Amino acid sequence: MPSDVPPQPPRPTSRRRLPVLLAAVLVLVLAVVGLVVVRPGPVERWLADDPAAPSAAPPEPSPVAVLAGTDIGAPMPATDGLRTVLDPLIADTALGGRVHVSVTDALTGQQLFERGGGTGTVPASVTKLLTAVTVLTARGPGYRIPTTAVAGAQPGEVVLVGGGDPTLAAGDKGFYPGAASLKDLAEQVRTALGGTAPTRVVVDSSLYSGPRLEPGWDDDIPTGGYGAQMTALMLDGARKDPKASQGWAERVSQPDLTAGRAFARLLGVPEGEVRSGTAPAPPAGSTETTEATEAPGATGAPVGATGPGAQLGVVQSPPLIRLVDIMISDSDNIIGEALARQVALARGRPASFTGAASAMTEVLSELGLPTEGLALADGSGLSRRNLISPTLLTETLALAASPDRPELGGIFGGLPVGGWSGTLRDRYGSVPGTAAGAGTVRAKTGTLTGVHAIAGVVTTAEGRPLTFAVLTDRVPADGMEPARGALDRIAAALATCGCR
């Protein structure tokens, strides 16, 4: 049964824009962040800190374009035309009894079509789009999350202080490209201690507070391979095996202590000498400090100071823009939760599920985005207590694509491409009525049992970029494939649209 929310006239955008003067700049922004990239590449090549070293390998062949280009002079679809095209597709019974939709012109931010657009709906993983925008706003694209080692209260005692980096690796190569390494940190500690041998490792993961699992998560998430206990210290997203493939992976039950034991082995400390605790307060001394961080035992810790709390070493995560890219492209739930907590820390809130949700809502409101119907419980979208409106998603995407906030454009780099990459690799082509979306739809998907969503950017047949969101949260439990096909037909219809 289709949604019982009747069609409404287009609502005015919640932000003022300069559509004509800024349109050319917008297309440049979209090109830079990847809406006209020729093909996706590994994160480490997109966002490497240094230019790639010369290689003796033969050059790759010229890539083939997989995304349609935009045309700032292309006409904008009309609301009546969109209604004619979309209403029958929204009525598809495969989408269940509650389907909410919003379509916005990416160049002007004007909403062109909505059906229950302002209604909070369970979003699943499209929540990560809000996590990305809020963390890039609150922290900035270049921020790095530290993991610190400080001197403990007793001689030879080393405190490993978690700063919330979910990508930290034990050795030279972990699950995530370019991750910081405990091996490097252990070398710094040995140098700082000089002739003093480490005798004990204290694990300080006190930066995170509150429950380690969100109450709205399904019962099987902690053991189902897509979620984990959220702690401020972990290795490889809490994966038991850093060589695990993308997606499902067995997770450790105590991520912080597992990391502490790995650090102890690197320092030559018996695993029996690993315990939980907190770092001593940093000593007074030199005013030279490490990069600012909210991690206890690291903020203001003087370089070169001695005694309990003195910094022995620090390693940094990849920049947030790279973590955002991985979160979106791989739909990484653990990174999503970690980045949400960075929003909380930046805003002086507890690094907890509730603190993160409150801080994210605050940032979205300050950005001038419509938060009516918004209720956040986590940053990954695993919680069924999340409610997000399609209009909030389309306006968020339009803001990120505009020249007003260039730091937000990074959210597009990881968006899967229809028929090409990520969660859309095998979609747009195999189901009737979806082929037009291949190479023209770039979107984040969301899936929980009974919940299916998609939100992103699509280029019309005439070259007009649109932002769109379709959320449905009452699909029969066995209806995943039909629901996905119905969602894809809606996005593909926008790709073929003149709709005037």
Side-chain angles (χ1 to χ4, degrees):
M1 186 174 70
S3 169
D4 58 0
V5 180
Q8 301 293 327
R11 66 187 292 277
T13 180
S14 62
R15 304 178 306 281
R16 295 183 179 180
R17 293 187 178 275
L18 303 174
V20 177
L21 295 178
L22 295 179
V25 180
L26 169 59
V27 172
L28 176 62
V29 171
L30 294 179
V32 170
V33 300
L35 291 181
V36 292
V37 296
V38 289
R39 69 175 179 181
V43 171
E44 63 267 31
R45 291 217 305 266
W46 292 346
L47 299 166
D49 294 335
D50 301 308
S55 172
E60 294 183 359
S62 299
V64 178
V66 297
L67 290 175
T70 58
D71 179 2
I72 63 173
M76 186 165 54
T79 296
D80 287 344
L82 286 169
R83 184 174 294 123
T84 299
V85 170
L86 297 181
D87 277 354
L89 299 175
I90 295 170
D92 192 328
T93 56
L95 292 173
R98 225 169 75 108
V99 187
H100 298 142
V101 184
S102 175
V103 179
T104 298
D105 179 57
L107 295 178
T108 64
Q110 178 182 346
Q111 190 174 55
L112 304 176
F113 175 89
E114 65 99 11
R115 176 66 64 88
T119 304
T121 315
V122 181
S125 278
V126 297
T127 304
K128 294 181 177 73
L129 294 174
L130 302 188
T131 304
V133 164
T134 54
V135 76
L136 290 173
T137 300
R139 282 296 201 205
Y143 184 83
R144 296 170 183 264
I145 305 170
T147 302
T148 311
V150 303
Q154 304 298 323
E157 189 174 74
V158 178
V159 185
L160 180 61
V161 185
D165 177 8
T167 68
L168 185 67
D172 294 327
K173 186 176 181 181
F175 180 82
Y176 297 99
S181 169
L182 284 182
K183 180 181 177 182
D184 292 341
L185 186 59
E187 291 175 356
Q188 294 178 42
V189 169
R190 280 193 292 268
T191 299
L193 290 178
T196 303
T199 58
R200 172 180 289 177
V201 170
V202 176
V203 175
D204 185 347
S205 59
S206 62
L207 183 63
Y208 286 4
S209 59
R212 293 187 172 192
L213 301 172
E214 207 287 312
W217 288 2
D218 289 350
D219 291 341
D220 64 344
I221 285 176
T223 58
Y226 292 100
Q229 303 276 339
M230 288 307 304
T231 59
L233 180 66
M234 62 174 61
L235 300 176
D236 304 302
R239 288 169 176 81
K240 190 171 184 179
D241 179 5
K243 296 180 181 179
S245 60
Q246 295 287 356
W248 184 95
E250 186 177 357
R251 314 285 169 151
V252 298
S253 61
Q254 296 178 307
D256 48 356
L257 288 175
T258 298
R261 295 183 189 109
F263 192 53
R265 288 192 292 271
L266 290 166
L267 291 175
V269 174
E271 291 188 16
E273 292 299 322
V274 177
R275 64 176 180 83
S276 297
T278 55
S286 168
T287 58
E288 182 184 2
T289 61
T290 60
E291 180 179 347
T293 170
E294 282 75 9
T299 300
V303 174
T306 59
Q311 182 174 292
L312 303 176
V314 61
V315 291
Q316 306 279 351
S317 75
L320 286 191
I321 186 63
R322 295 179 69 183
L323 301 188
V324 164
D325 193 277
I326 297 169
M327 172 185 69
I328 292 176
S329 63
D330 298 341
S331 200
D332 193 305
N333 296 312
I334 308 306
I335 291 183
E337 296 302 339
L339 294 185
R341 281 161 173 76
Q342 289 300 316
V343 182
L345 292 168
R347 290 307 179 97
R349 304 287 177 81
S352 63
F353 286 107
T354 56
S358 176
M360 288 172 61
T361 301
E362 178 182 83
V363 172
L364 292 168
S365 182
E366 290 175 0
L367 288 171
L369 294 164
T371 56
E372 298 85 0
L374 175 66
L376 290 176
D378 68 15
S380 64
L382 286 173
S383 178
R384 293 181 181 272
R385 301 196 303 165
N386 290 320
L387 295 173
I388 299 175
S389 73
T391 296
L392 172 56
L393 290 167
T394 54
E395 291 206 15
T396 297
L397 288 161
L399 177 63
S402 82
D404 301 337
R405 300 299 298 256
E407 74 277 12
L408 304 183
I411 73 169
F412 294 107
L415 283 179
V417 179
W420 185 262
S421 64
T423 55
L424 297 183
R425 180 186 298 275
D426 300 322
R427 293 166 63 166
Y428 295 98
S430 59
V431 175
T434 66
T440 61
V441 172
R442 185 159 205 162
K444 181 74 193 77
T445 59
T447 304
L448 294 169
T449 302
V451 175
H452 300 278
I454 189 168
V457 182
V458 59
T459 305
T460 69
E462 294 170 316
R464 191 79 180 189
L466 307 175
T467 65
F468 72 97
V470 187
L471 279 67
T472 178
D473 57 10
R474 293 182 185 172
V475 175
D478 60 351
M480 181 178 72
E481 292 303 327
R484 283 181 173 178
L487 289 176
D488 292 347
R489 277 188 284 271
I490 292 173
L494 293 173
T496 62
C497 205
C499 297
R500 296 188 305 279

